[in-house]
Amino acid sequence: MAAPQFLSWLNISSGQTWLDMGVGTGVLTQAILQQASPKKVVGIDLSESYVALARQDIVDERAEFKVGDASSMRFESPEFDVAFRDWFLNFVPSPQQMALGMKQAVKSGGTVALYVWDYAGRMEIMRQFWEAAITVNPSAAELDSAKQFPDL
């Protein structure tokens, strides 16, 4: 899991309020709780079953989970110090809209942090897969992840 290394690199001070957009089962929220000493982490996900699992697995008064469409969330006023997400941008219809929503949710001077897989470059296993798939079936080139996610 890359999150612990990325959290260390971010070096966010303790006591901050975090937003985990696209929380899924809560793995990233758990890493934030363990490593970043947050005041609070709010995790949002479209999947009711994922949110239920996160609530079941993470018993911590600092964690709050909500069902909602993280890719189109809008906040009336900034309420978070940090908005953080791993890999989620690869799976939303509009990564730009998602990043803008995260920015809108964070207070002035706060942090918006994201990372994604490097489909087009150094994710060798994906490159090897797509090169083999295209060799077997040249029409697979249209589905190549490097083409879908060239420069997020």
Side-chain angles (χ1 to χ4, degrees):
M1 182 175 171
Q5 291 175 330
F6 194 64
L7 287 167
S8 290
W9 179 79
L10 287 174
N11 195 28
I12 303 291
S13 61
S14 62
Q16 303 297 306
T17 303
W18 291 66
L19 173 62
D20 183 357
M21 302 269 274
V23 69
T25 59
V27 173
L28 181 59
T29 293
Q30 187 72 343
I32 294 166
L33 290 166
Q34 291 172 351
Q35 192 170 337
S37 301
K39 177 181 178 182
K40 180 179 182 179
V41 181
V42 176
I44 299 170
D45 201 284
L46 187 59
S47 169
E48 290 182 30
S49 59
Y50 277 162
V51 169
L53 187 58
R55 284 180 181 141
Q56 173 188 313
D57 290 348
I58 301 172
V59 181
D60 189 310
E61 70 263 0
R62 300 171 297 164
E64 178 183 337
F65 300 101
K66 299 179 180 182
V67 175
D69 186 353
S71 67
S72 63
M73 295 291 292
R74 294 294 172 259
F75 297 88
E76 290 185 29
S77 63
E79 54 188 273
F80 300 95
D81 301 300
V82 183
F84 182 53
R85 191 62 242 165
D86 61 353
W87 304 315
F88 191 66
L89 284 183
N90 294 107
F91 305 104
V92 296
S94 174
Q96 295 80 6
Q97 181 180 345
M98 174 75 175
L100 184 62
M102 292 174 78
K103 180 183 174 198
Q104 181 187 35
V106 172
K107 298 172 190 171
S108 178
T111 301
V112 175
L114 306 131
Y115 63 91
V116 297
W117 291 308
D118 184 6
Y119 286 112
R122 302 230 356 115
M123 194 169 178
E124 284 88 4
I125 194 166
M126 294 299 289
R127 286 290 9 106
Q128 292 170 6
F129 169 81
W130 285 110
E131 288 169 11
I134 293 165
T135 299
V136 171
N137 181 354
S139 67
E142 291 301 313
L143 303 173
D144 186 346
S145 302
K147 199 171 199 173
Q148 293 179 17
F149 308 109
D151 291 315
L152 288 177

